[in-house]
Amino acid sequence: MMRRNTVLLGIFLILGLLIFYNVQVVTNFAGKYIYPLDDAYIHLSMGKNFAQSGTWGITRYEFSSTTSSPLFTFLLSVLIKIFGNWEYIPLVANTIAGIALLVVFHKYLKKFSPVTYALFLSAVVLLMPLHLMIMTGMEHVFHTLVMVMVLLAFQKYLDDKSPRHFSNLALFSIIATGFRYESLFFIFFICAYVFFIKRDYVIGVILGCFAILPVVVYGYISVDHGSFFLPNSLILKGNTNDGIVGFLTRVAGNAYRGISVLVLLIILITQIFIQAKNKKSMINKISENAIPGVVFCGFIIHLLFANFGWLIRYEAYLVVLLLFAIAPFADVLFQNKIRNGVLKYIMVFLLLITFSMRFVTMLKYQPIASKNIFDQQIQLADFLHRYYRNSKVIANDIGAITYFNNIHLLDTYGLGSIDVAKLRKNDHAKFTDNKALQKYVYDTARNLNFEIAIVFDEWVKMPDYFSKAGTLTIQNNYMAGGTTVSFYAVKKENTDQLKHQLKEFSRHVPKDVIIKIIK
């Protein structure tokens, strides 16, 4: 026990050093820590508005179903209400959740050999990688923690069908779905297992009803406010390409971006095959692989209908769930209880591949992502704060600019503007020549007296009566939605003023950010 506690402390130290290193790297060029995703500022903006004005929206002026993690956004709003509006609340909260995840995994792995314990606890930090998910300021650490608790509760329920264990399973299922709807991929197969294999028909149905409760409640609230049943981001970014060819193309792209996780899936499939081969009936084969089977099926559904990539965050929870599922099999291998000794070396080799593809690669790209956000979104937020902090603004990357200001917003992408989302929902996450959207921007900007547009030109064409005053261009773009942002005066008579503001602001931006004034 003492040895395992020492390993745990060592892993805490490694995690702390990785966080410290990343903060230092980003602080060196930004003067403070900057999240590597503008989405983190979307959560903060909504949390701030709900805490301070009671408005669930990206701005304080209207409801918007912008968040894809309602429970995480609500948690931030509670913390902001208690501790005040501080941009590093997500960082601190994620760190606490990360520590809790390691403690939970520590308790789970204690029953295995020291080698399995050390390897798999380290893998949570290095393969997820945990420090990166903490530093994103997003919901992924909380989601992963609760999904592990779901699997643990399911495991305990299989061992003992007591009301307490079912209550825990139901509670964690509700919380997991509240953090990310992808949780339902796994909980569905848990319900199916309970219903068809254990033949606990009522329990299977009740569990499913509990799990879907956050979707129904949040959907009802959204529809009641004139929005979609699902969050705008799921409607606009979901894996819903038109046609079978588009669908298969998207799945192939997912497989390519998620290759580091598919490597771990090879281990899981091997485990399922070995554990099932000596069982005669199909029921026994499935029963022997309850947890691995649920993880495998949930993984496949995620591959088909959700996303991979985007700072390797969408699949991060899958890494940990796969580690959870294959740990017992790994322990059998490491204790030489299976004759084929080559399997243990293959497993270690596959884990190292995942480590290389996820941890080593992200050591390079995470600071670049923060640099991109600093050079673009933070500079745009600063520009608006200087000249248009309470103005009516048209934009399409909306996190930092709304969090650091109190602007009225027309979001041409649709995350923060439901009318735009309704016009874009059939574009299937593509940027098309959407005439209806162009007309809506044209009419809304004129009728409601919007002052300025700060947009990626390739995302949507601005009305002809707008006057382009300048551009802001960043270097080495990895994370931003576009390399160049254009500034438009909605009223032509304000063009010279906007040009003067850009010229003045250009003295304050980082040296590798290029502001160009249109002649």
Side-chain angles (χ1 to χ4, degrees):
M1 180 60 67
M2 183 63 68
R3 183 178 176 181
R4 284 180 172 80
N5 289 338
T6 302
V7 172
L8 178 63
L9 290 175
I11 290 173
F12 281 148
L13 178 60
I14 292 171
L15 177 62
L17 290 173
L18 288 170
I19 293 173
F20 177 78
Y21 167 78
N22 188 260
V23 169
Q24 286 299 112
V25 170
V26 175
T27 302
N28 284 341
F29 62 73
K32 64 176 184 177
Y33 181 71
I34 304 296
Y35 295 110
L37 290 157
D38 190 55
D39 302 54
Y41 297 101
I42 289 178
H43 282 299
L44 275 167
S45 185
M46 293 191 69
K48 175 193 72 173
N49 292 325
F50 193 60
Q52 295 180 348
S53 64
T55 301
W56 185 266
I58 194 67
T59 70
R60 64 172 60 182
Y61 304 106
E62 62 178 331
F63 176 93
S64 65
S65 183
T66 308
T67 177
S68 59
S69 179
L71 187 54
F72 184 71
T73 304
F74 179 75
L75 173 63
L76 293 185
S77 71
V78 171
L79 295 175
I80 289 172
K81 189 74 172 180
I82 296 172
F83 299 106
N85 180 24
W86 186 46
E87 63 189 284
Y88 299 120
I89 281 179
L91 185 61
V92 175
N94 276 349
T95 301
I96 295 171
I99 292 171
L101 175 61
L102 289 176
V103 170
V104 169
F105 235 82
H106 156 77
K107 293 181 178 179
Y108 169 64
L109 294 172
K110 282 195 302 183
K111 60 186 176 183
F112 301 130
S113 67
V115 173
T116 304
Y117 173 88
L119 180 62
F120 276 75
L121 196 60
S122 301
V124 172
V125 173
L126 302 178
L127 271 58
M128 190 179 184
L130 181 55
H131 82 282
L132 172 57
M133 294 306 112
I134 289 173
M135 305 304 287
T136 62
M138 300 288 286
E139 70 275 5
H140 304 289
V141 183
F142 279 93
H143 177 227
T144 304
L145 169 62
V146 182
M147 278 303 300
V148 170
M149 299 300 291
V150 167
L151 291 183
L152 282 171
F154 177 48
Q155 191 176 64
K156 290 180 180 178
Y157 177 77
L158 293 178
D159 295 335
D160 178 7
K161 298 179 183 179
S162 67
R164 180 171 64 88
H165 289 148
F166 172 75
S167 298
N168 290 339
L169 178 57
L171 176 61
F172 290 128
S173 295
I174 293 171
I175 296 173
T177 305
F179 276 116
R180 284 196 74 86
Y181 288 3
E182 292 94 327
S183 305
L184 289 173
F185 299 156
F186 297 84
I187 297 169
F188 171 81
F189 288 104
I190 290 176
C191 294
Y193 184 92
V194 171
F195 190 94
F196 292 105
I197 305 302
K198 291 301 182 181
R199 298 184 180 181
D200 293 334
Y201 304 118
V202 175
I203 295 297
V205 172
I206 291 176
L207 179 61
C209 291
F210 276 125
I212 205 170
L213 192 60
V215 179
V216 174
V217 171
Y218 187 63
Y220 173 80
I221 294 171
S222 296
V223 170
D224 190 53
H225 285 81
S227 191
F228 296 120
F229 182 80
L230 295 175
N232 292 355
S233 58
L234 296 186
I235 299 294
L236 298 173
K237 298 180 180 180
N239 194 349
T240 55
N241 287 49
D242 51 330
I244 187 65
V245 174
F247 174 75
L248 293 176
T249 300
R250 184 75 175 268
V251 172
N254 266 348
Y256 175 75
R257 291 186 296 273
I259 189 68
S260 62
V261 194
L262 289 171
V263 168
L264 296 180
L265 194 66
I266 295 173
I267 302 174
L268 184 69
I269 294 172
T270 304
Q271 173 185 355
I272 292 173
F273 175 77
I274 290 176
Q275 292 181 170
K277 69 177 182 177
N278 293 324
K279 303 298 180 181
K280 294 182 179 180
S281 70
M282 183 57 66
I283 295 293
N284 289 337
K285 291 178 184 292
I286 296 174
S287 298
E288 187 69 19
N289 287 290
I291 298 293
V294 165
V295 172
F296 174 79
C297 293
F299 183 100
I300 297 302
I301 300 301
H302 183 111
L303 177 68
L304 294 176
F305 297 106
N307 287 313
F308 282 71
W310 207 244
L311 207 64
I312 66 170
R313 65 190 180 95
Y314 288 128
E315 69 271 20
Y317 83 107
L318 296 175
V319 172
V320 178
L321 297 189
L322 284 166
L323 291 172
F324 182 97
I326 66 177
F329 177 63
D331 194 55
V332 171
L333 290 179
F334 292 139
Q335 294 190 62
N336 298 315
K337 293 181 179 180
I338 293 180
R339 292 181 180 179
N340 191 345
V342 177
L343 284 176
K344 75 171 73 173
Y345 299 106
I346 294 176
M347 175 181 288
V348 172
F349 176 69
L350 294 175
L351 290 172
L352 288 174
I353 290 176
T354 304
F355 168 76
S356 176
M357 296 180 73
R358 295 183 66 80
F359 180 86
V360 176
T361 302
M362 282 302 114
L363 275 183
K364 172 185 177 182
Y365 285 109
Q366 184 181 355
I368 294 175
S370 289
K371 173 69 170 156
N372 293 157
I373 300 303
F374 174 68
D375 287 349
Q376 189 176 94
Q377 279 78 13
I378 299 301
Q379 300 310 312
L380 296 178
D382 189 26
F383 176 81
L384 291 176
H385 195 73
R386 287 171 182 265
Y387 307 110
Y388 299 93
R389 69 179 66 176
N390 297 304
S391 301
K392 293 183 177 180
V393 178
I394 298 168
N396 47 28
D397 232 0
I398 60 174
I401 64 171
T402 55
Y403 176 64
F404 292 107
N405 300 282
N406 289 314
I407 60 174
H408 298 254
L409 176 71
L410 171 56
D411 174 16
T412 64
Y413 187 83
L415 291 180
S417 300
I418 184 57
D419 290 331
V420 173
K422 290 176 180 178
L423 292 170
R424 287 198 66 247
K425 68 176 182 177
N426 293 324
D427 289 345
H428 304 292
K430 300 174 183 176
F431 299 114
T432 63
D433 188 22
N434 190 324
K435 299 298 184 184
L437 174 57
Q438 293 169 22
K439 183 179 185 305
Y440 177 81
V441 174
Y442 182 104
D443 293 338
T444 303
R446 171 161 287 177
N447 295 336
L448 298 183
N449 294 313
F450 275 76
E451 297 180 52
I452 183 175
I454 306 177
V455 295
F456 300 123
D457 283 332
E458 59 270 24
W459 286 24
V460 63
K461 183 180 182 298
M462 289 294 102
D464 292 336
Y465 72 86
F466 284 20
S467 178
K468 191 171 182 176
T471 59
L472 181 149
T473 301
I474 64 174
Q475 312 300 314
N476 195 24
N477 183 24
Y478 169 71
M479 184 50 58
T483 299
T484 299
V485 178
S486 296
F487 294 76
Y488 291 85
V490 173
K491 298 178 180 179
K492 290 188 183 295
E493 58 265 30
N494 295 332
T495 306
D496 289 339
Q497 173 185 295
L498 179 55
K499 289 181 178 180
H500 174 74
Q501 291 166 345
L502 287 170
K503 183 177 181 180
E504 182 182 68
F505 185 69
S506 65
R507 305 189 190 106
H508 305 284
V509 299
K511 61 181 180 180
D512 50 351
V513 173
I514 301 171
I515 291 183
K516 181 180 178 181
I517 311 299
I518 303 298
K519 301 298 184 182

